[in-house]
Every structure is written in structure tokens, then in C-alpha cells.
Amino acid sequence: QVQLVESGGGFVQSGGSLRLSCAASGVIPNIRAMTWYRQAAGSQRMLVARITSGATGDTTNYADSVKGRFTISRDNTNTGYLQMNSLSPEDTAVYTCNAYIGERWYDSTGPGTQVTVSS
């Protein structure tokens, strides 16, 4: 059974950086895509970034609010990353991931990782 667990969140000052990880475990035939979401208190969940594997390489997409500051990537160990730079208090949220593995999407099996940015 596939499990996805996020890590790497924490408390950082405005302008700082964090690197989030999304680790997939279990039977992993093929990770075709991975998405990072965030949900701030009192707000709806928002798609932050997505990476999709294709015939010519990976394609990345970002929410407008994080373009130029966040970078999504993944390695060959079934782990995805979200590098977050120039963080602002508006980035404060719980960050979660999901992944398209085999023929379906799998949601995170963890609580997400909290990112708190102070001004």
C-alpha cells in the first residue's frame, strides 16, 4: 500500500527558506506526478505546485503567488521536494502532497507539515 508523508516544515522569519519533502513508500510502480497543496487557517486548500513526468522530461506548474520563489522537484528515490525561498507571512499554512502513482492519485497519509512565517 502506498503511503505519502510530508516533512520539513517549521518556523522561519520573513525572507527565509524551507525545503519540504514528500516521501512515498510501499509498492511504487511509477510516480507520474506530484502535487503540493497548502491550506491556511480559515481558507480553502490551494494548489501550490505540480510536477508531471512526460516523454520529454518533467513539466512544472506553479500558483501565481509562488512563481519565482518556490521550486518543485523530485529524485529517483520516490521523494518529492518543494524548495521555498523568500517566504512571507502569507505562505503560512499546512502543506500537503499527493502523487499519481501507477493509475491513480494517492493522497497524503500524514497530517501535512506546518509552515509558519513570521514578519
Side-chain angles (χ1 to χ4, degrees):
Q1 183 173 348
V2 174
Q3 291 190 327
L4 293 171
V5 179
E6 306 91 345
S7 63
F11 185 92
V12 64
Q13 291 187 334
S14 183
S17 298
L18 285 172
R19 188 193 196 201
L20 307 184
S21 298
C22 175
S25 61
V27 179
I28 313 293
N30 183 21
I31 297 181
R32 299 185 181 184
M34 184 172 283
T35 307
W36 282 97
Y37 296 89
R38 71 185 184 190
Q39 186 166 16
S43 299
Q44 292 188 336
R45 189 176 73 160
M46 181 188 92
L47 188 151
V48 176
R50 173 170 288 166
I51 185 166
T52 305
S53 296
T56 57
D58 290 339
T59 300
T60 57
N61 299 95
Y62 299 92
D64 287 343
S65 59
V66 307
K67 282 181 181 177
R69 300 187 299 121
F70 290 12
T71 303
I72 189 171
S73 64
R74 64 191 188 98
D75 62 20
N76 294 327
T77 64
N78 297 322
T79 301
Y81 304 96
L82 185 67
Q83 177 67 43
M84 307 186 297
N85 299 327
S86 302
L87 285 163
S88 70
E90 289 69 34
D91 297 315
T92 295
V94 175
Y95 286 71
T96 58
C97 63
N98 68 3
Y100 194 89
I101 301 172
E103 300 294 331
R104 53 162 285 193
W105 283 98
Y106 289 84
D107 288 327
S108 166
T109 51
T113 187
Q114 175 71 48
V115 171
T116 304
V117 185
S118 66
S119 58

